[in-house]
Amino acid sequence: MRRALIACGGTGGHLAPGIALAEELSSRGCACRLLISEKQVDSRLARKYTQFESQAIAGRGLSWRPIPFGRFAWDLLRGYRDCIQSIRSMRPDIVVGFGGFISASALLAGARNGIPVAIHEANQVPGRVTRLSSRYADRVYLPEGVNLSEVAADRVRHVGMPLRAEFKRLPRENAKRVMGFEPAKKLLVVLGGSQGAQSLNEWARASKDALGREGIQLLCLTGLAGGTDEPRPSQVQGVNTSKSVFLEFSDEMATL
């Protein structure tokens, strides 16, 4: 059986396509292990997919300031050690990274041990890890129209974003009903990524009553640090308005 080590932790934008790749490879008889970060958001999403192994490894974002860079370098070494141990126990045929700080350790460990490594970058502006790691990657997958000066053209392939198997088209009214909203009313969904965005959360809280008076329902994903409101209708001067819900996290992104 072929085996793949997939480094995709750090944010939902890295983890979700990594899971999608693991689903596809698994359907072709490949054993997959996910390398995720130590963040709560990673473990919460990964534990839904019990068909894959998952392993949390050390890591943090890159900064060039002296103290944060020292912490990054220390966690990079710790993550590299974790990845070496994972490679020795699993003996993968390939290591795939999806950008972010977790990929740096995994791709370096794979390349140093003679294992083919590949990078998938979903952003129009590739991140630092992608740019640094692409120098020794065997294959780099980029969005259409995006290229890297650090990578020879014969190592680049242009692809889109892998989607998990649960993403299927669903009529809008059905999706609203599943999420507990009135199908006939408009619904505004606000999200700032898996970690949330403070400015969006503040705007949603300040605007929910005005939106409600216009008959617009609101669902805001605040991120795990954003706090939550009880999922009940807002009250404005004693008049029931449209429903507004604030959630830290949702496992139902396909429906959303």
Side-chain angles (χ1 to χ4, degrees):
M1 176 182 289
R2 299 183 73 82
R3 296 171 293 275
L5 191 61
I6 301 174
C8 54
T11 71
H14 296 133
L15 183 55
I19 291 171
L21 175 63
E23 287 179 323
E24 178 63 25
L25 292 178
S26 179
S27 73
R28 302 185 186 193
C30 182
C32 297
R33 179 182 296 175
L34 304 177
L35 296 181
I36 63 176
S37 77
E38 297 170 334
K39 292 181 179 179
Q40 182 183 354
V41 64
D42 279 18
S43 59
R44 181 166 178 172
L45 182 56
R47 66 172 173 251
K48 283 181 57 181
Y49 300 89
T50 56
Q51 67 269 43
F52 312 125
E53 294 182 60
S54 63
Q55 176 185 349
I57 65 173
R60 70 176 63 225
L62 171 62
S63 172
W64 295 114
R65 290 182 296 154
I67 293 178
F69 181 79
R71 292 170 178 163
F72 163 79
W74 173 245
D75 276 355
L76 179 66
L77 290 174
R78 290 175 57 216
Y80 179 79
R81 179 202 61 195
D82 294 341
C83 291
I84 290 293
Q85 292 174 350
S86 189
I87 287 172
R88 287 174 178 170
S89 66
M90 186 186 188
R91 302 181 66 84
D93 297 286
I94 188 170
V95 177
V96 184
F98 278 83
F101 51 84
I102 295 301
S103 290
S105 301
L107 295 171
L108 180 59
R112 291 288 300 273
N113 283 269
I115 299 170
V117 299
I119 304 170
H120 179 279
E121 173 64 67
N123 297 306
Q124 290 292 316
V125 179
R128 291 171 177 170
V129 169
T130 296
R131 290 186 175 276
L132 292 171
S133 303
S134 63
R135 300 175 187 274
Y136 52 82
D138 297 277
R139 185 77 76 227
V140 180
Y141 297 94
L142 299 171
E144 193 66 42
V146 176
N147 289 287
L148 285 174
S149 59
E150 296 90 341
V151 187
D154 62 348
R155 290 191 287 132
V156 173
R157 298 292 184 273
H158 292 101
V159 297
M161 173 70 85
L163 290 178
R164 287 170 283 163
E166 65 195 71
F167 278 83
K168 301 185 185 302
R169 291 193 179 277
L170 184 68
R172 185 179 303 169
E173 290 72 19
N174 292 3
K176 289 180 185 177
R177 191 176 291 108
V178 168
M179 298 301 299
F181 291 94
E182 296 182 39
K185 285 188 174 182
K186 292 181 178 180
L187 172 63
L188 174 64
V189 178
V190 178
L191 63 153
S194 57
Q195 299 182 73
Q198 183 178 351
S199 58
L200 290 178
N201 295 342
E202 291 174 351
W203 178 87
R205 293 184 187 281
S207 304
K208 65 179 182 179
D209 292 340
L211 291 168
R213 285 190 291 266
E214 296 294 328
I216 299 173
Q217 304 171 106
L218 172 67
L219 173 59
C220 178
L221 296 186
T222 65
L224 295 178
T228 61
D229 283 346
E230 290 296 320
R232 61 176 182 267
S234 302
Q235 296 288 326
V236 181
Q237 298 177 351
V239 179
N240 283 322
T241 62
S242 295
K243 188 174 184 179
S244 61
V245 178
F246 290 75
L247 300 174
E248 289 185 337
F249 183 85
S250 175
D251 292 318
E252 300 180 87
M253 289 306 298
T255 305
L256 291 179

